[in-house]
Amino acid sequence: MKLTFWGATRQVTGSMYLLELDDEFKILIDCGRNMGREVDYTQPVSNKAFFPFEASQINLVLLTHAHIDHSGNIPMLYREGYEGQVLCTSSTADLTSLLLYDAANLNLKKVKQAEGDSKKKKKKMDRLLIKGDLYLQKDVEDAMSNFVTLQFHRRFRIADNAWVTFIPAGHLLGAAHIIIEVQENGETKSICFSGDIGRKDYPLHIDPSTEIPEVDYLLCETTYGGRLHEDKKTPEEALAEIIQRTCIDIPGRLIIPAFSIGRTQALLYTLNRLYSEKGFTPIKVFSDSPLAYASTKVYQKNIKQLNKQARDFYEENDSLFDFENLQYIQSEKSSKAISNYAEPCIIISASGMISGGRVEQHIAANINNVYCTILLVGYSSEGTLGWRLMNGQKSLKIKDVEYQVLANVEKIDIFSGHGDQQDLVNFVKKQSPKKLKKVFLIHGEEDSMNTFKTLLEDEGYSNIEIPEMGQEYIL
């Protein structure tokens, strides 16, 4: 086999790995968007292919989970000639559909904006622009029609000499570790793609599976490879303390940037528990993301796939997410009107890294408000507005306007869906150092990878690689 790393190498986003079997059967594992890639959509499109490989030559795509940095370029794969299937779990298919259609709508806005800018500059824009780095609704339709769902723990033959098994990863509804077994020259070789590793006792999500078989090769994500989660409180305790200080002790406003899928549901579920079980005073909560609203319905449809605590709560309360004073915001007009709400409130809005989305307008409208608190609840990539706030910058530029940061900025990591350094070590330690031929560290910043590599070496693991973009390995 040959394994080539085409994404999430020495960075967190853009997961994409190409596994080529000795009979030239090609498997692409994840096809994620590089969240840091900026494109000038008013410029002419080059004839260069979108992918560094021939899309039409791929035989199969395996998807670990729905997040856009793992699924976001699948429509482009079909646009460039791929005709095969995408295998994933049923929940992953549902959530991926929502994310990709949402991305297509945003792309359409970019196209229209670029066309408008071109007219203003009296410069003709090539309509073939959308064949560059953008896909639209028809491309998503083509992709989603080829999704095929598999159950967890069901070994499935994908080629004459290859099998795949999806194992619960706990990171997101439907998220999986992917185990591929291949027979070559009378020998069975196995490789595990971690996807993103969840954390134990996370709201709603099941714990990462402890039933990881021993494999020959392991790809392990390292998002939190360099540190431990700081918060030792329960999600209810951590959130209750912050709401008390920011919205009750003073009549303030709490803004929580949160990813629409996974993070928002965890926050709404935790608020529901606070109100129904802890006697917490209901404060107006705005969930401002149509995508989050649609995703919440997917979670409600798949209650049996959630953890026991969530299932028991649903049995007792007949609802996971609906509670007094919760309002889902759909239209842009209603979103902007939140700024006129004068009472204490909580605004949960995407995106989680404050890199686009409606949350930007809420931050811009409140960043000068000393009675406003911006609560960061997860990882932010370097350079995003979330990262700048997390690192204490005193001013921010939002849509070409410079703002002084007068609002309070706080951060907690209890709602991060990623396992921390110890969780990652525990994941690797399911493997025997004697059997494991190689560990590849992926999906993390380079400093985090180096720290985690040293830690694994101290645990007795050798042959640890930190691949570069495009690097190939013969397995």
Side-chain angles (χ1 to χ4, degrees):
M1 296 184 289
K2 182 171 73 173
L3 179 64
T4 309
F5 291 80
W6 288 122
T9 54
R10 308 189 184 199
Q11 65 176 35
V12 171
T13 66
S15 293
M16 187 163 61
Y17 318 101
L18 180 60
L19 183 66
E20 301 175 65
L21 309 190
D22 63 354
D23 61 359
E24 298 187 353
F25 190 88
K26 296 179 175 63
I27 306 168
L28 193 67
I29 297 89
D30 284 347
C31 189
R33 197 173 87 200
N34 184 346
M35 307 301 283
R37 186 180 187 186
E38 296 294 334
V39 180
D40 184 353
Y41 296 109
T42 65
Q43 297 303 309
V45 178
S46 71
N47 293 321
K48 186 178 179 181
F50 185 83
F51 295 100
F53 48 81
E54 179 56 54
S56 64
Q57 298 301 309
I58 301 297
N59 298 99
L60 183 68
V61 175
L62 304 176
L63 179 59
T64 58
H65 65 285
H67 280 147
I68 208 77
D69 61 324
H70 293 258
S71 70
N73 280 334
I74 290 176
M76 294 301 299
L77 200 67
Y78 284 92
R79 169 175 277 186
E80 294 221 339
Y82 177 60
E83 297 180 343
Q85 296 176 333
V86 177
L87 302 187
C88 62
T89 65
S90 60
S91 297
T92 293
D94 289 342
L95 294 175
T96 300
S97 177
L98 294 176
L99 277 166
L100 295 183
Y101 277 113
D102 182 68
N105 288 334
L106 292 175
N107 288 343
L108 181 59
K109 290 181 180 179
K110 290 178 181 178
V111 170
K112 291 181 177 179
Q113 178 65 44
E115 288 176 335
D117 291 345
S118 295
K119 288 178 180 178
K120 287 179 183 177
K121 297 176 182 178
K122 296 182 179 179
K123 188 178 179 181
K124 187 177 179 182
M125 188 192 78
D126 188 352
R127 283 295 298 177
L128 294 179
L129 167 71
I130 58 174
K131 291 187 178 179
D133 288 343
L134 296 175
Y135 54 83
L136 300 181
Q137 188 174 37
K138 178 61 168 60
D139 303 301
V140 178
E141 291 173 359
D142 292 342
M144 294 310 305
S145 67
N146 288 286
F147 272 57
V148 176
T149 62
L150 299 179
Q151 295 178 355
F152 283 123
H153 301 295
R154 181 70 62 86
R155 190 170 182 259
F156 183 78
R157 184 188 292 271
I158 55 177
D160 290 340
N161 61 337
W163 295 261
V164 67
T165 306
F166 288 84
I167 296 176
H171 170 70
L172 182 71
L173 182 67
H177 308 306
I178 293 179
I179 309 293
I180 298 177
E181 301 166 86
V182 180
Q183 286 185 347
E184 286 185 341
N185 302 320
E187 178 187 1
T188 299
K189 302 175 183 179
S190 55
I191 180 169
C192 174
F193 296 83
S194 72
D196 287 349
I197 300 168
R199 55 192 296 189
K200 192 175 180 181
D201 299 324
Y202 190 80
L204 296 173
H205 299 159
I206 57 177
D207 290 346
S209 176
T210 58
E211 302 175 19
I212 306 296
E214 290 190 355
V215 295
D216 298 303
Y217 302 95
L218 177 67
L219 279 73
C220 183
E221 67 112 329
T222 55
T223 310
Y224 280 81
R227 67 183 181 91
L228 299 170
H229 288 308
E230 300 171 359
D231 292 299
K232 304 304 178 186
K233 302 171 184 175
T234 67
E236 289 85 359
E237 290 170 342
L239 198 55
E241 180 182 297
I242 290 170
I243 294 172
Q244 183 71 41
R245 284 190 289 101
T246 61
C247 295
I248 297 175
D249 292 346
I250 60 170
R253 171 172 292 199
L254 180 63
I255 299 177
I256 309 178
F259 296 115
S260 297
I261 293 182
R263 199 70 49 82
T264 293
Q265 288 73 37
L267 286 163
L268 293 178
Y269 168 66
T270 301
L271 286 168
N272 197 1
R273 292 182 64 89
L274 283 178
Y275 294 159
S276 61
E277 294 183 345
K278 309 296 183 183
F280 207 74
T281 304
I283 297 167
K284 190 71 173 181
V285 177
F286 297 102
S287 178
D288 187 14
S289 166
L291 178 58
Y293 179 67
S295 305
T296 298
K297 289 185 176 181
V298 174
Y299 270 73
Q300 290 171 330
K301 185 181 80 171
N302 292 282
I303 287 172
K304 291 182 179 179
Q305 296 184 31
L306 303 179
N307 62 35
K308 186 177 185 304
Q309 185 185 50
R311 297 195 307 270
D312 290 345
F313 182 84
Y314 178 78
E315 287 294 323
E316 294 174 11
N317 298 274
D318 201 33
S319 174
L320 288 174
F321 307 108
D322 292 329
F323 52 86
E324 183 183 353
N325 276 338
L326 170 63
Q327 181 178 346
Y328 291 100
I329 302 298
Q330 296 286 350
S331 70
E332 287 277 359
K333 182 178 179 181
S334 297
S335 176
K336 293 177 181 177
I338 295 175
S339 296
N340 298 321
Y341 189 80
E343 300 296 322
C345 67
I346 301 169
I347 302 171
I348 303 171
S349 185
S351 71
M353 298 185 190
I354 322 179
S355 54
R358 292 182 181 181
V359 73
E360 280 194 2
Q361 73 186 23
H362 295 304
I363 298 294
N366 291 276
I367 201 165
N368 297 134
N369 180 3
V370 296
Y371 293 102
C372 173
T373 298
I374 302 167
L375 178 63
L376 304 171
V377 294
Y379 179 85
S380 289
S381 294
E382 185 173 349
T384 61
L385 292 178
W387 180 85
R388 292 186 174 111
L389 284 173
M390 197 174 290
N391 284 275
Q393 288 196 11
K394 300 301 182 183
S395 64
L396 287 182
K397 181 176 284 189
I398 303 175
K399 297 189 184 303
D400 297 324
V401 178
E402 194 77 24
Y403 296 90
Q404 294 299 308
V405 180
L406 301 180
N408 304 294
V409 178
E410 298 191 24
K411 57 182 178 180
I412 57 174
D413 60 15
I414 195 67
F415 287 100
S416 170
H418 283 273
D420 67 3
Q421 185 184 77
Q422 190 58 54
D423 294 316
L424 300 180
V425 169
N426 292 341
F427 176 77
V428 176
K429 288 176 74 172
K430 301 295 180 186
Q431 307 296 323
S432 165
K434 295 181 179 179
K435 176 177 171 59
L436 196 60
K437 295 178 180 178
K438 203 174 288 291
V439 181
F440 300 100
L441 301 185
I442 53 170
H443 200 284
E445 303 296 346
E446 193 165 358
D447 288 346
S448 176
M449 291 179 172
N450 288 325
T451 299
F452 192 59
K453 181 177 186 287
T454 301
L455 192 60
L456 290 182
E457 289 171 340
D458 292 342
E459 293 284 347
Y461 292 89
S462 57
N463 293 323
I464 302 170
E465 295 280 344
I466 301 178
E468 295 182 1
M469 178 70 80
Q471 193 163 356
E472 297 179 353
Y473 294 86
I474 302 298
L475 308 185

